[in-house]
Amino acid sequence: ILRNETHNYHISRVVLKIQYTTEDGTLIHSREECLECNLQPGSTQIVTIKSFDSNKSYYYYTMPPKRASGTPYRVQYDVLRYDIVVK
């Protein structure tokens, strides 16, 4: 979920750096993701991004699988930039 917490700016794009790590902090995968959006001041928008784990070998550390095994991971992200719509 993206949230525009500005009071005056319409945001059209957000660029995130996403890092997936094991529970001990070892980097599994890192990428930058550009998310197109339409965020008016104070609004929220649900966005979807593809998983790094196309083989389903990992699981989010708070949600262990019931029937299969895998490696737990954590996610960290940083906002690298966001674009403001100028009229």
Side-chain angles (χ1 to χ4, degrees), residues 17-81:
K17 180 173 184 173
I18 304 169
Q19 293 184 308
Y20 302 89
T21 61
T22 61
E23 290 193 283
D24 68 2
T26 302
L27 183 65
I28 300 169
H29 181 74
S30 177
R31 73 177 194 233
E32 289 183 14
E33 190 74 37
C34 181
L35 305 169
E36 301 295 329
C37 58
N38 181 18
L39 289 168
Q40 299 296 327
S43 69
T44 61
Q45 182 177 336
I46 296 174
V47 294
T48 303
I49 60 173
K50 290 189 178 194
S51 172
F52 77 99
D53 181 23
S54 58
N55 294 329
K56 309 248 187 252
S57 303
Y58 297 89
Y59 65 88
Y60 190 63
Y61 76 102
T62 63
M63 305 169 87
K66 293 182 176 147
R67 296 188 179 153
S69 63
T71 303
Y73 71 90
R74 294 178 181 256
V75 178
Q76 294 177 295
Y77 66 90
D78 291 307
V79 176
L80 297 180
R81 82 165 204 251

Side-chain angles (χ1 to χ4, degrees), residues 3-28:
R3 179 165 177 77
N4 180 351
E5 293 186 354
T6 70
H7 298 287
N8 302 313
Y9 302 111
H10 175 186
I11 296 173
S12 64
R13 180 180 300 128
V14 176
V15 179
L16 300 176
K17 180 173 184 173
I18 304 169
Q19 293 184 308
Y20 302 89
T21 61
T22 61
E23 290 193 283
D24 68 2
T26 302
L27 183 65
I28 300 169

